[in-house]
Amino acid sequence: DADVTQTPRNRITKTGKRIMLECSQTKGHDRMYWYRQDPGLGLRLIYYSFDVKDINKGEISDGYSVSRQAQAKFSLSLESAIPNQTALYFCATSDPTGTGAYEQFFGPGTRLTVL
Amino acid sequence: GNSVTQMEGPVTLSEEAFLTINCTYTATGYPSLFWYVQYPGEGLQLLLKATKADDKGSNKGFEATYRKETTSFHLEKGSVQVSDSAVYFCALSDQRYSSASKIIFGSGTRLSIRP
């Protein structure tokens, strides 16, 4: 079974709708992240969380919110979806107690289309 | 601020050709450097990493050496295969945010290998 899972894998919605993307992990990592990927722009950080009580904005948090329901679960919400939020969304985790390289482990992604 | 610049794609090669994907970085301090790979329809996977100057990361026939004097981390493979077709991301861990394990990604280089 995958260590980092995301649901749904694909979603098509309409402008103005509220959307929730979910991420679960079995790696036991405290740190979790949400990114969006757009063609030619690489990955951009939306939100990150050190633990259940610690949530921080990334570089492009406007229009998004998150919830860390448990160590293993980190959800991303679009309160009122707009077309320029059409993108591929990735969840990731990391373990700060490892090698110190701060590598991250990614889920398979959610492809979101806002019409 | 810290940043990563990698060669633009797409890169198209014939099977068994030699591969180089250039990556340079700008950073204060001593970041860790990574190459991630994204196969079609999947999330990012860590390909290799290096945590200090002159370290060589290697995996699956790919290599990259952390060159502090040229601020580079070029990815190389001596003989590529069709199965290497993917998008490759150079990245660094931003030590200014060591408590957040923040990673900065390049924009990605799409590699296609012809049989």
Side-chain angles (χ1 to χ4, degrees), chain A residues 44-57:
Chain A
R44 293 182 291 168
L45 183 63
I46 305 172
Y47 272 94
Y48 60 98
S49 171
F50 292 172
D51 60 39
V52 174
K53 298 180 180 179
D54 194 316
I55 292 176
N56 304 274
K57 292 182 178 180

Side-chain angles (χ1 to χ4, degrees), chain A:
Chain A
D1 289 339
D3 294 322
V4 184
T5 58
Q6 293 183 234
T7 56
R9 293 294 312 276
N10 290 282
R11 181 72 184 268
I12 299 174
T13 190
K14 295 182 179 180
T15 296
K17 294 291 187 181
R18 185 178 188 274
I19 297 297
M20 179 180 287
L21 310 182
E22 298 186 349
C23 176
S24 295
Q25 53 112 347
T26 59
K27 299 187 75 66
H29 292 169
D30 285 330
R31 295 177 180 176
M32 298 186 73
Y33 310 80
W34 275 105
Y35 293 90
R36 66 176 279 174
Q37 183 182 23
D38 299 277
L41 294 178
L43 274 73
R44 293 182 291 168
L45 183 63
I46 305 172
Y47 272 94
Y48 60 98
S49 171
F50 292 172
D51 60 39
V52 174
K53 298 180 180 179
D54 194 316
I55 292 176
N56 304 274
K57 292 182 178 180
E59 58 185 306
I60 55 162
S61 59
D62 289 348
Y64 301 94
S65 62
V66 291
S67 173
R68 185 80 184 267
Q69 301 95 324
Q71 186 205 38
K73 297 184 181 297
F74 192 35
S75 300
L76 176 72
S77 293
L78 287 66
E79 298 302 325
S80 179
I82 55 177
N84 76 0
Q85 291 177 314
T86 293
L88 191 53
Y89 290 84
F90 287 103
C91 176
T93 73
S94 71
D95 174 12
T97 64
T99 63
Y102 305 115
E103 63 199 76
Q104 294 183 6
F105 301 86
F106 285 80
T110 294
R111 184 169 296 281
L112 177 66
T113 302
V114 183
L115 302 176

Side-chain angles (χ1 to χ4, degrees), chain B residues 85-98:
Chain B
S85 298
V87 181
Y88 292 81
F89 293 90
C90 186
L92 66 81
S93 65
D94 190 340
Q95 299 299 332
R96 294 178 304 164
Y97 299 89
S98 60

Side-chain angles (χ1 to χ4, degrees), chain B residues 7-75:
Chain B
M7 63 187 291
E8 294 186 11
V11 174
T12 303
L13 297 172
S14 296
E15 203 166 23
E16 300 184 1
F18 183 85
L19 168 71
T20 299
I21 300 178
N22 290 335
C23 172
T24 57
Y25 67 90
T26 301
T28 56
Y30 303 94
S32 295
L33 301 175
F34 309 91
W35 278 99
Y36 280 84
V37 59
Q38 184 180 25
Y39 298 105
E42 299 183 11
L44 279 71
Q45 304 173 25
L46 181 66
L47 180 60
L48 53 84
K49 65 184 179 185
T51 58
K52 61 183 187 295
D54 299 327
D55 268 2
K56 177 185 285 187
S58 61
N59 186 26
K60 299 181 180 181
F62 291 90
E63 293 183 341
T65 301
Y66 190 144
R67 302 287 189 197
K68 188 168 174 58
E69 64 276 13
T70 55
T71 63
S72 64
F73 192 55
H74 304 321
L75 182 67

